Amino acid sequence: MAGHSKKSTKKFEKNHLKDTIDKRKEFAKIKQRQQTKAKKRARNASDNARVSDEDGKSAISDSKREGTGQVDPFNKMSVDEFFQGGFELPEKKKEKLASNKKGIVQKLGKRKRYTVQTAEEGQSDSNSAVEERSVSSDEEPNSAGDMELDIHKGDLNALAEKDPEFYKYLKENDAELLGFEEDPDLAEVDELSEAEENLKKRRKKDKKSQKFEEEEEAEAGSGEGGSEVTIALVRKWKTAMSEQHSLRAMRQVVLAFRAAAYINSGDGKEHKYSIPSPEVYHELLLLALGHVLNVLAHHLPAKESITGRVRIATDSKKYRTLAPLLKSHASSAQCLLENLSDAPTIKLTLSSLVPLLPYLLSFKKVLRSLIKTTVNIWSDPSSTETVRITAFLLIRRLAVISDASLREAVLKTAYQGIVKGSRNTNTHTLAGINLMKNSATELWGLDSDIGYTTGFTYIRQLAVHLRTSITQPTKDSYKAIYNWQYTHSLDFWSRVLSTHCSPATTTKPQPSSPLQPLIYPLVQITLGALRLIPTPMYFPLRFHLTRSLLRLSRATNTYIPLGPSLLEVLTSPELSKPPKASTLKPLDFATALRAPKSYLRTRIYQDGLGAQLAELLAEFFGCWAKHIAFPELVIPPTVLLKRWLKAASTASHSSRPSSASASSNKAKKQQGGNRNAKVNASIALLLQKLDLNARWIEARRRTVTFGPGNRAAVETFLNEVPVADTPLGAFVVGMRKQQEERERVLKEGRRTDEQSRGERGRGERKGSVIDGDGEDEEVDEEGDEEVDDENEGGRSE
């Protein structure tokens, strides 16, 4: 079949292709090195042969001169006599000696490194040849890299002649391959600025640039690591950049900014400038981060299309000259971000890099490093909200203007940042984690194809972890699933699919999103993780995953059977048996994955479970409050709720006790109900609302003229009626408002508590934090012990 690869070819590509390519590249490097050495040996041999020929010719000419009486006065001199006689040459020999010297140089054809010495240096023809050989031998160790560079340049020039289209593609997409020099002093920018200044001199005939250089040298002091930057010099650069858009001043600012960025790196590199004081450091940072882009935009304006694509003249000579400058500035900014801890400075640096991104699209290696650094700041729990938002704006801007490969790298790095930043979840970090998940959700809508591939890869990874935990159970295998990172990952993908697979976000030309096929595997994985260990200790985790599925069901109109998992909590001993009294504080279900051992079978835990269960059951049935099949949907849950409510509200006693003690013990064993009027009242209210909403739907579907086979009419039933107008919908809206008010009160109380702690003193606050961590560790150890005891029973159920 045409276009079909053989099985052996696919196997080779999977197992051996990468190693084969690496070996070929290594062999090509060795071959190139050997060719370079061979060329160098051949060139040295030819140079030596030419020098020996010249020596022979000079000897013959000397013998002829002796015969004609023209004797060279230096041939019979010793070295001591030569130096005693001074360095003056005979008058009649000067011109002839200089011409002989030029002739030898032209015959030898040395490289550009060779410097032609004038006749005034007082050396003979033979001495100049010997000096040539010594110079070439001294430069041989350093010329190997230059020779390889010349060969690489020659190969690329040949590529430009043979395949200009591919060479142009490399220029636009991977300019780093064509950049040969790192040019630490960025001399090409000087040449470009000199050319511009020469044009200005011809037109205006002034000498502003010369004055600028003289003043710059006078104002810059001399320090140990290079010239010291002063406030006056920074202001001079600022004036030149803002008024004249000087590339020379921008070059100096970039070099000084690099010294400032690497000031605490300890890499041992020497920089052209040194920063003597914090004031100079501050002024230099403001100048580099605020004015470099203005100069670039003046010389290389960026044009943005309606679709968001940015075009820059990357083929121009000016861009090629400024490319090292751009790389240096971006690398310095990245190093600065890695070492900064001040939130305003981090925000300023990130904001300055956002408009610089179009100029860096050709340098993918630099951008990938910048993506990692920015995502680390975005996912760092210690970062402030404004810093995180600014970092996300940079990430999103790069994802919008970049190509497919960089966009995929942005998505993968962002997801890894979410997983890394959600490791520790508590009251203080929960808001930042939700900010990360909500903001990153937008990235997967920029390119649906890349979003589907990355989503499929990571959802499959979650499925592999769950399958391994089920098929290969060990003592700690459940910990790979029951942790905050796995829970937040499932919640994040539910947010992504809820946002981009919702009927409200899809357009008419594209009725369904490419991410739609990911809903089914995500639901199956979440349901599997939800019931991995069905014990009361992990009911908080079950509630977290249930909320994720409720969001997905509500946004995509997908029915997910969450009723059985919620009713299983209702029929558990935690809610059906009498609790024991306790003085523990209420458990925060928003920041808890499991309940500590001390909370099990207590009144405070039972109240929390009852409130969470009533809310989730109302939310689940509220998703289908307008559906035409609602009365049939609630029949099984209604029957179960009525039976549970009857059993929980009544108590049976033994009728014929044999003795007083025996009767009391038997009555305690046979006594039913949970003796919790608060929980029972909430379930009874929910049952009443379900029954009322079922009657409301039955009254409206009596007037319909279509049957169940008409799917379009079934889908549009009561489509124009808001959910809040239904009896159950109004009940759910009221519950949400009560929950929001409760969270607001808790947040204010928490804020007041933190302020009171801050007034007591920093040392006392640190002590309280340490004590709290120790208590949590003890609770976790107790929970681990109980989970180990209950794992087998929970899995068998």
Side-chain angles (χ1 to χ4, degrees):
M1 294 174 63
H4 180 70
S5 301
K6 295 182 179 180
K7 186 176 180 181
S8 59
T9 305
K10 292 181 180 179
K11 187 175 181 181
F12 176 79
E13 291 176 353
K14 181 179 179 182
N15 300 329
H16 306 291
L17 180 60
K18 188 176 182 299
D19 295 337
T20 304
I21 293 175
D22 293 341
K23 289 179 181 179
R24 290 181 180 178
K25 288 182 179 179
E26 191 68 25
F27 177 75
K29 290 180 181 179
I30 296 173
K31 185 177 180 181
Q32 184 179 4
R33 201 177 297 118
Q34 295 296 331
Q35 291 176 353
T36 303
K37 291 181 180 180
K39 289 182 180 179
K40 186 170 62 178
R41 286 196 296 268
R43 184 171 57 256
N44 291 338
S46 62
D47 291 346
N48 294 336
R50 290 175 184 174
V51 171
S52 61
D53 292 342
E54 293 296 333
D55 291 342
K57 291 180 181 179
S58 62
I60 294 173
S61 62
D62 290 343
S63 61
K64 289 182 179 180
R65 289 169 189 165
E66 290 179 1
T68 57
Q70 300 177 354
V71 181
D72 190 353
F74 298 109
N75 284 342
K76 297 181 180 180
M77 279 188 182
S78 64
V79 177
D80 295 335
E81 292 175 352
F82 175 76
F83 282 105
Q84 288 176 3
F87 295 96
E88 295 183 358
L89 298 179
E91 292 287 337
K92 41 182 159 180
K93 296 294 181 181
K94 283 184 181 181
E95 298 179 359
K96 193 170 183 180
L97 187 60
S99 63
N100 290 338
K101 184 72 177 177
K102 292 179 181 179
I104 291 176
V105 173
Q106 292 176 357
K107 289 180 181 180
L108 288 177
K110 290 296 288 180
R111 296 189 302 275
K112 292 182 180 180
R113 287 192 189 85
Y114 181 79
T115 305
V116 179
Q117 304 206 6
T118 58
E120 295 177 358
E121 293 178 358
Q123 291 186 353
S124 62
D125 299 340
S126 60
N127 289 335
S128 65
V130 172
E131 184 177 353
E132 283 184 19
R133 280 179 288 179
S134 64
V135 169
S136 63
S137 62
D138 291 339
E139 292 183 352
E140 280 178 6
N142 297 328
S143 63
D146 296 333
M147 287 299 301
E148 294 182 2
L149 189 63
D150 295 337
I151 293 175
H152 189 44
K153 287 183 178 180
D155 294 340
L156 289 176
N157 292 333
L159 177 64
E161 295 176 358
K162 294 180 180 179
D163 196 350
E165 294 182 357
F166 181 65
Y167 186 79
K168 183 178 180 181
Y169 172 80
L170 288 179
K171 269 187 176 182
E172 296 176 353
N173 295 277
D174 199 356
E176 294 180 358
L177 182 62
L178 307 179
F180 305 103
E181 300 177 359
E182 292 296 330
D183 51 324
D185 290 335
L186 306 173
E188 293 184 358
V189 181
D190 258 357
E191 296 177 2
L192 184 60
S193 56
E194 286 175 1
E196 292 185 353
E197 289 175 359
N198 289 335
L199 292 176
K200 293 180 181 179
K201 287 178 183 178
R202 293 174 185 175
R203 295 175 181 175
K204 299 182 180 180
K205 296 182 179 180
D206 58 2
K207 297 183 179 180
K208 291 184 179 179
S209 62
Q210 294 180 359
K211 292 181 181 179
F212 179 78
E213 288 181 0
E214 294 174 359
E215 293 176 358
E216 183 179 312
E217 293 176 358
E219 292 173 358
S222 59
E224 295 180 356
S227 302
E228 289 187 355
V229 181
T230 61
I231 296 291
L233 183 58
V234 173
R235 292 174 180 171
K236 182 70 66 177
W237 287 340
K238 183 177 181 180
T239 303
M241 292 173 65
S242 58
E243 296 179 359
Q244 304 173 6
H245 302 287
S246 172
L247 289 175
R248 184 187 300 274
M250 185 180 71
R251 166 186 173 270
Q252 303 301 329
V253 170
V254 170
L255 291 176
F257 178 61
R258 182 168 61 183
Y262 289 90
I263 193 170
N264 294 324
S265 61
D267 53 359
K269 294 182 180 179
E270 294 184 359
H271 300 282
K272 184 177 180 180
Y273 293 102
S274 62
I275 313 301
S277 64
E279 292 79 10
V280 175
Y281 180 86
H282 177 71
E283 293 293 333
L284 180 61
L285 253 62
L286 293 179
L287 176 62
L289 298 177
H291 291 78
V292 169
L293 179 67
N294 297 334
V295 179
L296 284 175
H298 175 77
H299 292 280
L300 287 171
K303 299 179 181 179
E304 185 172 359
S305 62
I306 301 177
T307 58
R309 306 296 296 179
V310 181
R311 298 184 181 275
I312 295 177
T314 56
D315 294 336
S316 62
K317 180 182 178 182
K318 190 173 292 186
Y319 179 82
R320 292 194 299 268
T321 306
L322 292 176
L325 190 74
L326 294 171
K327 292 174 63 177
S328 175
H329 184 69
S331 301
S332 302
Q334 179 190 349
C335 179
L336 186 66
L337 288 173
E338 293 175 351
N339 299 320
L340 283 176
S341 58
D342 183 44
T345 310
I346 296 175
K347 180 182 176 182
L348 177 64
T349 307
L350 292 171
S351 302
S352 67
L353 287 174
V354 173
L356 192 66
L357 293 177
Y359 298 92
L360 302 174
L361 290 179
S362 299
F363 313 112
K364 295 186 178 181
K365 186 182 295 184
V366 175
L367 285 179
R368 285 191 172 94
S369 301
L370 183 61
I371 290 170
K372 293 180 180 179
T373 304
T374 308
V375 169
N376 289 336
I377 296 173
W378 174 64
S379 61
D380 189 3
S382 61
S383 299
T384 61
E385 184 177 354
T386 55
V387 170
R388 286 189 168 189
I389 293 175
T390 308
F392 174 73
L393 291 178
L394 189 147
I395 297 170
R396 185 187 182 280
R397 178 62 175 169
L398 183 58
V400 169
I401 66 175
S402 61
D403 56 0
S405 60
L406 275 177
R407 191 175 294 120
E408 184 177 2
V410 169
L411 295 183
K412 290 183 177 180
T413 310
Y415 178 73
Q416 293 169 3
I418 292 174
V419 175
K420 179 182 177 182
S422 61
R423 179 185 297 272
N424 297 321
T425 302
N426 51 45
T427 307
H428 306 286
T429 61
L430 183 61
I433 294 173
N434 289 331
L435 175 64
M436 277 196 303
K437 293 189 289 188
N438 291 330
S439 57
T441 298
E442 186 182 354
L443 299 177
W444 265 259
L446 299 177
D447 192 332
S448 300
D449 296 332
I450 297 178
Y452 174 79
T453 55
T454 54
F456 177 83
T457 301
Y458 289 120
I459 291 176
R460 182 181 180 275
Q461 190 178 37
L462 296 174
V464 170
H465 287 305
L466 179 61
R467 183 185 63 184
T468 304
S469 179
I470 295 174
T471 58
Q472 301 175 5
T474 59
K475 184 178 180 180
D476 296 331
S477 62
Y478 73 95
K479 292 182 180 180
I481 308 300
Y482 279 16
N483 57 69
W484 275 117
Q485 290 177 308
Y486 197 91
T487 305
H488 282 302
S489 298
L490 292 175
D491 183 70
F492 169 70
W493 290 117
S494 74
R495 292 172 189 255
V496 172
L497 299 182
S498 300
T499 302
H500 302 295
C501 297
S502 175
T505 58
T506 55
T507 58
K508 291 183 179 180
Q510 189 178 6
S512 62
S513 172
L515 301 175
Q516 192 83 19
L518 297 178
I519 294 178
Y520 179 76
L522 179 65
V523 170
Q524 294 298 317
I525 296 169
T526 309
L527 290 176
L530 184 142
R531 292 182 53 82
L532 181 63
I533 302 179
T535 56
M537 178 180 292
Y538 282 102
F539 282 165
L541 183 140
R542 177 176 296 204
F543 294 155
H544 281 290
L545 299 182
T546 302
R547 294 182 189 277
S548 301
L549 293 179
L550 279 175
R551 182 192 303 111
L552 184 61
S553 177
R554 188 186 307 113
T556 61
N557 292 332
T558 303
Y559 177 75
I560 302 174
L562 295 174
S565 62
L566 293 175
L567 295 176
E568 184 180 352
V569 177
L570 185 66
T571 57
S572 66
E574 291 293 328
L575 286 174
S576 59
K577 292 185 178 182
K580 59 184 179 181
S582 66
T583 58
L584 297 172
K585 63 180 181 179
L587 182 66
D588 187 6
F589 284 87
T591 57
L593 280 183
R594 66 182 179 187
K597 185 178 179 180
S598 57
Y599 277 82
L600 298 180
R601 305 296 297 274
T602 61
R603 179 64 177 265
I604 193 68
Y605 187 52
Q606 190 180 75
D607 291 342
L609 287 179
Q612 293 287 320
L613 186 62
E615 178 188 353
L616 292 176
L617 283 173
E619 290 282 353
F620 169 65
F621 292 113
C623 295
W624 311 102
K626 297 193 305 179
H627 201 274
I628 196 171
F630 182 83
E632 288 75 21
L633 175 65
V634 297
I635 289 176
T638 301
V639 173
L640 192 144
L641 288 175
K642 288 181 179 180
R643 288 178 180 174
W644 180 89
L645 191 61
K646 182 178 180 181
S649 303
T650 59
S652 61
H653 300 277
S654 177
S655 58
R656 293 185 298 174
S658 59
S659 63
S661 60
S663 63
S664 61
N665 293 333
K666 196 170 184 180
K668 288 181 180 180
K669 290 181 181 179
Q670 294 182 357
Q671 185 179 7
N674 56 10
R675 292 183 293 179
N676 193 329
K678 182 179 178 180
V679 175
N680 298 342
S682 62
I683 299 299
L685 180 61
L686 175 63
L687 188 60
Q688 180 183 356
K689 295 298 180 182
L690 292 178
D691 185 57
L692 187 61
N693 197 85
R695 294 179 182 179
W696 187 81
I697 292 293
E698 288 177 351
R700 274 148 185 80
R701 75 178 182 182
R702 289 194 189 103
T703 59
V704 300
T705 58
F706 56 86
N710 192 348
R711 296 297 301 273
V714 169
E715 294 294 333
T716 58
F717 177 72
L718 296 181
N719 201 15
E720 70 282 355
V721 179
V723 179
D725 291 347
T726 63
L728 184 59
F731 175 68
V732 171
V733 171
M735 290 186 65
R736 290 175 184 171
K737 290 181 179 179
Q738 293 177 2
Q739 181 66 22
E740 291 175 359
E741 182 66 21
R742 195 179 301 113
E743 291 179 356
R744 185 185 64 81
V745 172
L746 289 175
K747 189 178 295 183
E748 290 180 358
R750 195 179 298 117
R751 188 183 298 111
T752 305
D753 188 22
E754 290 177 357
Q755 291 177 356
S756 62
R757 287 183 182 179
E759 293 175 357
R760 295 174 187 171
R762 182 174 300 177
E764 189 175 356
R765 184 174 67 249
K766 288 183 179 179
S768 63
V769 171
I770 293 173
D771 294 341
D773 291 342
E775 292 176 0
D776 289 341
E777 289 177 359
E778 292 177 1
V779 169
D780 291 344
E781 290 176 358
E782 293 177 357
D784 286 337
E785 292 176 0
E786 182 174 351
V787 169
D788 295 338
D789 296 336
E790 295 184 1
N791 272 347
E792 298 298 330
R795 284 200 175 95
S796 62
E797 293 178 4

